[in-house]
């Protein structure tokens, strides 16, 4: 014991942290024994618990809980995957897919015939351009002669304008009508049907944009005004030089729904970039297919009895379970289409404006969501529906509602026609956006961080948690009600 | 058509954003019709997709996905709650709890008798203080007389020291031995057993700290040295003035395991604070009870067959499912005990050092976790085990391993004794921390943000995702194997 007293009392301070201790070579220690006593004051000052918001000087970081959340999401879904596997085994099966021969043949014919409407629109525009050139020449001659024939020519041009509009209207409408009718009545497989219908709607929008834009370019040619300038960008290809097959084919394949005679272009194609994007799209496509076959289909099948019995708690439980997988498919599908596929296409087309979406996942207003998740459609709606309506004196709020009605009809066509059930749920979903926009607009006025989080949560809940799984469930139920579970596409593989 | 030409082409720029538009009173608009055409260049410049890391100028914020994660966690667990309810109904039942009369009587006697050992330690210290005071007086007298009796007195004091150490050793050991024996052999209910065992370990640690600290204070009194100062804080109550019943009772109830004659104190008790903390603790206690009765117990019961059959995939699935509920109970229990209960106790005791934990949830090193999640035990280990060992020349790494062995034995006592199965899983879990510390130390050297995230994930996975649920499962399995599912505490209520 006597040796102990040789050591200073506060040695514990020298012992904090192993590293410092280990740096001291042991031979330098004054004595190997009894350097320590148990008196040191651990509780030497007043300190607060870091979670006592009242007392603690600063809130601690909670970044560890973010990591934990990611981990729990991964683990809980991994667990559900194991559970699913133990219950159903492997449901993925390529040879089990059953396509009717008629579906494949009809679908292919439809798919290939749809772009023809774009070429019909080109021929109409070719005629219109000829007529416009003639009109311009005659008007010029009339103006130099200063006689009255100019006015007659303008009238003729006006009549021709109606004729051209009528021709375009017939052509574009035929596209939608023929495709929808064929898909609804003759193509049973909803996948093939959706592909055809989606293609038809895209081409229809492109045709409309092509016709409307060229109409106004033609008008600007016939009635040139100093204050009415055609955009600087188009100067390199003024009307009617843009009415060529080349120009149309570029628009046909360009990743946009809005026609411009000239687009911003990149200098060259980065083929490595194209390869990476295509690999992403293909990989995600396979993942989505596996996810829906293995997880979504059995879930949808299991939900049928609950829906038929209107068992609301069970339906809620099924929707919640479905929401994870539908959200996953949605995010993967979004990335595959808007990031991977459209970027690959844009790169090949040397199309420089790649803003196909902006950061919609952060939106705190449903309004912003609809202007940012799908820019090609948003641009079309803004340029060819909303702005013309407002320009003609329609109040902006009414114009907005009209845009959502138009968009709702297109959504219903896209979902209801291939599933052979026009139950107008997709349309109702689009209509539901209007009160949601009003709600998040009111919340967004708060401008606080919390208001934004609440707005963002309303977006996620309404869209990915309720909207999509509920719609999927209802269309699936309508399908099963119409065709029974004997239908080969969905049910036979699971249960 | 003629009217249209009156409008400038670029009016769409004036239409962007409704707010701006709505500010314009309609009568100011030059013409209500035909102000718009479809020519405006939407694609006017090269732009990148914000997710193309190669091209985009800056990475977009992903804060929306954080919100989505929280939402998905809430929803997926809500769904599991519905599923659980539909499968088992309500399992929570107060009157169903079955305590054997013997358990309650024996448990109460044990619980009340445990603190007696602290008072025995006090009596030992009282005797020791008397002896030390006598020794100091005699040494002083001898020094003034300058004769040789001082040396004899020192020797006598030294013998007394061994006697006192022996008495403390017997007293403290009896506490642990009596409690553990009684709990292991005579208290069947694991809840009552755990309470008694936990109380015994806490009092045992307090007794050890009381004896060791007073020994060194006494030594400092008998052999005073200029370079060996007792901490400034203790000056207000120098040895042996601290050996009073009051001082001991304060230590008995103070939220610390480390004895100090004097602690930092607050000026007054905020009773509203105490009330809030107690309400939190009570609320969380009820929540934990519901969570374990309704969710953990059926899960544990369902896992028994899989463990018996050593079906590893099923065991993994069960552990994953169990991890959510055990993590929830762990976090709620941590908050209830370390934040709510210890803060309430500290407030009542006017104990000012409230640092019962620091932000362990952010740790990227397992080493830091063990120094921050349970500060009272960490302080005890550092002051009375680790530092004395290192002070006596034991290499720090060996001292650390010894601390973990000591802690492992205490953990095994705490879990194994009340469940009547010393299967040494808790001990093995503590031993497993040593390689994990080495691993996270190596990863932590990276010092990058990613290295810290990986370290944090290793912590969460090892501790909350594998360690705890696996240990719970094994002790539950051992319990069931020993007592069969006929045991009333766990199984009868579920299935």
């Amino acid at each position: 014991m006597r040796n102990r007293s040789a050591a200073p009392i506060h040695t514990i301070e020298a012992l904090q942290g192993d590293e410092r201790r280990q740096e001291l070579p042991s031979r330098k220690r004054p004595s190997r024994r009894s350097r320590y006593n148990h008196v040191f004051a651990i509780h030497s000052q007043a300190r607060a618990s870091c979670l006592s918001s009242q007392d603690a000087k600063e809130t601690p970081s909670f970044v560890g809980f973010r990591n934990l959340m990611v981990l729990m999401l991964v683990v809980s879904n991994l667990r559900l995957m194991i559970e699913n596997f133990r219950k159903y085994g492997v449901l993925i099966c390529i040879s089990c897919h059953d396509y009717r021969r008629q579906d494949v043949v009809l679908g292919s014919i439809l798919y290939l015939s749809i772009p023809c409407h774009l070429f019909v629109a080109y021929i109409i525009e070719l005629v219109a351009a000829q007529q416009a050139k003639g009109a311009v020449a005659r008007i010029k001659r009339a103006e130099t002669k200063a006689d009255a024939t100019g006015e007659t020519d303008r009238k003729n041009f006006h009549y021709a304008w109606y004729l051209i509009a009528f021709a375009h209207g017939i052509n574009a409408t035929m596209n939608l009508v023929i495709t929808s009718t064929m898909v609804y009545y003759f193509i049973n497989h909803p996948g093939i049907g959706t592909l055809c219908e989606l293609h038809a709607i895209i081409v229809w929008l492109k045709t409309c944009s092509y016709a409307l834009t060229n109409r106004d370019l033609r008008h600007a040619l016939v009635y040139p005004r100093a204050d009415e300038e055609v955009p600087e960008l188009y100067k390199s290809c003024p009307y009617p030089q843009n009415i060529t097959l080349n120009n149309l084919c570029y628009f046909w394949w360009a990743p946009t729904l809005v026609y411009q005679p000239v687009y911003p272009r990149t200098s060259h194609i980065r083929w490595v970039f194209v390869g990476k994007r295509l690999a992403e799209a293909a990989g995600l496509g396979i993942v989505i297919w596996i996810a829906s076959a293995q997880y979504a289909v059995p879930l949808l099948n299991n939900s049928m009895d609950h829906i038929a019995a209107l068992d609301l708690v069970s339906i809620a439980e099924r929707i919640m379970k479905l929401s994870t997988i539908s959200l996953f498919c949605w995010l993967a599908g979004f990335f595959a289409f808007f990031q991977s596929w459209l970027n690959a296409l844009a790169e090949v087309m040397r199309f420089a404006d790649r803003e196909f979406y902006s950061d919609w996942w952060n939106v705190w207003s449903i309004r912003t969501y609809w202007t940012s998740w799908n820019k090609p459609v948003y641009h079309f709606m803004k340029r060819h529906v909303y702005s013309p309506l407002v320009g003609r004196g329609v109040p902006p709020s009414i114009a907005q509602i009209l845009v959502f009605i138009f968009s709702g009809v297109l959504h219903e066509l896209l979902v209801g026609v291939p599933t052979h059930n026009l139950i107008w749920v997709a349309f109702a979903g689009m209509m539901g956006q209007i009160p949601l926009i009003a709600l998040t607009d009111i919340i967004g006025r708060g401008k606080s961080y919390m208001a934004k989080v609440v707005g963002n949560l309303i977006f996620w809940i309404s869209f990915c948690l309720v909207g999509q799984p509920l719609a999927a469930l209802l269309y699936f139920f309508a399908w099963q009600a119409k065709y029974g579970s004997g239908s080969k596409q969905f049910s036979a593989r699971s249960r």
Side-chain angles (χ1 to χ4, degrees), chain A residues 6 25 129 157 220 249 295 341 381 395 460 491:
Chain A
F157 178 75
C249 285
Y295 303 102
W341 170 247
M381 294 294 179
W460 284 117
S491 57

Side-chain angles (χ1 to χ4, degrees), chain A residues 222-268:
Chain A
V222 178
Y223 305 102
R225 286 177 62 100
D227 62 340
E228 194 182 52
E229 284 217 349
V230 165
E232 197 62 33
L233 185 69
Y234 304 174
K235 289 274 160 75
S236 65
C237 180
Y239 189 87
Q241 284 174 32
N242 66 317
I243 308 298
T244 65
L245 211 53
N246 253 344
N247 187 287
L248 176 83
C249 285
Y250 185 83
F251 175 55
W252 176 23
W253 282 97
T256 178
L257 298 172
V258 165
Y259 177 70
Q260 290 179 197
V262 181
Y263 293 99
R265 303 287 288 273
T266 57
S267 58
H268 63 286

Side-chain angles (χ1 to χ4, degrees), chain A residues 270-461:
Chain A
R270 296 171 294 177
W271 286 106
V272 175
F273 180 92
V274 175
K276 281 184 188 167
R277 296 295 87 75
L278 288 179
E280 277 171 11
L284 285 170
I286 292 169
V287 165
I288 293 170
W289 172 55
I290 292 175
S292 45
Q294 183 75 38
Y295 303 102
V297 172
L299 221 77
L300 286 166
N301 273 320
N302 287 341
S303 317
M304 291 304 105
D305 297 340
H306 302 306
I307 295 189
L310 263 179
D311 177 353
L312 289 181
V313 177
S314 290
I315 293 174
E317 192 265 344
R318 290 286 96 180
I319 285 175
M320 284 179 184
K321 187 157 189 179
L322 201 57
S323 71
T324 311
I325 191 71
S326 84
L327 179 65
F328 173 80
C329 290
W330 164 257
L331 291 178
F334 168 81
F335 195 92
F337 187 76
F338 285 90
Q339 169 65 10
S340 305
W341 170 247
L342 287 188
N343 262 295
L345 187 60
E347 190 67 33
V348 170
M349 301 301 288
R350 295 179 30 234
F351 188 85
D353 185 357
R354 311 283 169 90
E355 209 191 39
F356 305 118
Y357 57 88
S358 51
D359 59 337
W360 55 265
W361 45 88
N362 298 325
V363 298
W364 44 267
S365 145
I366 306 276
R367 182 196 299 280
T368 321
Y369 170 72
W370 288 105
T371 61
S372 54
W373 89 273
N374 184 339
K375 290 260 182 190
V377 167
Y378 163 65
H379 286 152
F380 181 92
M381 294 294 179
K382 182 172 146 191
R383 198 198 206 206
H384 298 304
V385 184
Y386 177 79
S387 298
L389 285 172
V390 173
R392 270 165 187 75
V394 176
S397 52
I398 304 291
Q400 216 164 64
I401 292 173
L402 291 173
V403 167
F404 274 98
I405 291 174
F406 177 58
S407 172
V409 171
L410 291 186
H411 274 85
E412 186 62 34
L413 277 183
L414 191 55
V415 184
V417 169
T419 56
H420 313 169
N421 275 297
L422 289 169
I423 54 175
W424 296 96
V425 168
F427 180 79
M430 285 305 289
M431 291 303 100
Q433 301 306 310
I434 295 163
L436 279 173
I437 285 175
L439 176 67
T440 51
D441 274 357
I442 292 167
I443 291 170
R445 273 183 216 147
K447 277 177 186 160
S448 66
Y449 183 75
M450 214 47 225
K452 289 186 178 179
V453 170
V454 170
N456 188 243
L457 285 176
I458 290 178
F459 154 65
W460 284 117
I461 292 173

